[in-house]
Amino acid sequence: MAEETTGAVTRWDLSASDLPATVLNAAAGGRVFLLPDSYVDGMALYRDDVAGLIKTLRHRGVDIDFACGREDRRYLSEYGATEVVATIGIAVATTLTTDLVKSIVLTAWQRARSSLGPGCPDEEVGEACVTVKAAEIVRGENETVIRGLEVTGRLADIENLIQAALADPARAELPPAEADSAAPEDTTR
């Protein structure tokens, strides 16, 4: 009997002003960008476990980078494991594909694994409740479309939830979350 997937899928409303210029100006392709956990006074804040996360994911074949340059980011270690696992923000400069979804899921798994510790059994990691926020930035001839997807559920269910959302015809019919007619470099508002 197949295991039931449970969770919630919603639109993540964001605009060009919510994303770093590095992401908006990135060449279309399969690179995944790890978004900051928050901002304070214009500085991107990442949790302190992400430097190792990025290296691990690159080693495992994921084309991933920080959404913010080294000079624009700081690391904090004042979070508990539950907070670290809770939300992960990702952006891609293309439409979400099956391969990109697999990279996003692997990123979420590695983030949970590093947060919960190497001694945590895979079953417990899979049971962790997470929220994955994925932004896709697609540039057309005259516009840039930014669509966001927010998926919350057990980590073991995240891939199925994202794939189901991407396959849902109603999602394709939704108007884009944001369409900017300005060139990607001109993102000031």
Side-chain angles (χ1 to χ4, degrees):
M1 180 181 285
E3 190 175 310
E4 185 179 324
T5 301
T6 58
V9 178
T10 58
R11 277 179 47 169
W12 175 30
D13 292 323
L14 72 162
S15 68
S17 62
D18 297 322
L19 296 169
T22 305
V23 175
L24 293 171
N25 297 328
R31 174 158 278 183
V32 174
F33 292 94
L34 184 63
L35 296 173
D37 296 301
S38 62
Y39 289 92
V40 171
D41 297 330
M43 186 64 62
L45 300 179
Y46 286 92
R47 292 180 176 115
D48 65 353
D49 66 334
V50 297
L53 174 76
I54 295 288
K55 290 176 187 175
T56 299
L57 288 165
R58 286 179 182 161
H59 178 72
R60 297 196 62 192
V62 176
D63 184 11
I64 189 167
D65 208 346
F66 291 99
C68 300
R70 183 175 304 208
E71 66 282 354
D72 296 323
R73 66 180 185 252
R74 298 288 178 267
Y75 302 96
L76 294 178
S77 60
E78 3 179 294
Y79 299 97
T82 303
E83 291 169 321
V84 174
V85 174
T87 303
I88 186 165
I90 299 290
V92 295
T94 187
T95 303
L96 288 170
T97 63
T98 300
D99 287 341
L100 284 171
V101 170
K102 289 187 182 304
S103 293
I104 290 167
V105 171
L106 182 57
T107 301
W109 269 93
Q110 288 301 129
R111 180 77 176 261
R113 166 65 62 212
S114 67
S115 299
L116 296 172
C120 186
D122 284 347
E123 297 78 28
E124 280 187 44
V125 176
E127 290 298 318
C129 184
V130 299
T131 297
V132 175
K133 293 181 172 186
E136 56 184 357
I137 299 98
V138 181
R139 285 188 221 73
E141 191 173 309
N142 296 318
E143 69 179 356
T144 298
V145 177
I146 300 170
R147 289 193 296 192
L149 179 67
E150 184 172 327
V151 180
T152 301
R154 290 178 338 128
L155 186 54
D157 297 333
I158 292 297
E159 182 171 6
N160 290 338
L161 288 166
I162 294 172
Q163 292 292 6
L166 295 177
D168 183 359
R171 180 183 184 272
E173 294 170 10
L174 288 174
E178 175 78 12
D180 290 328
S181 59
E185 295 80 28
D186 183 20
T187 59
T188 57
R189 290 187 179 197

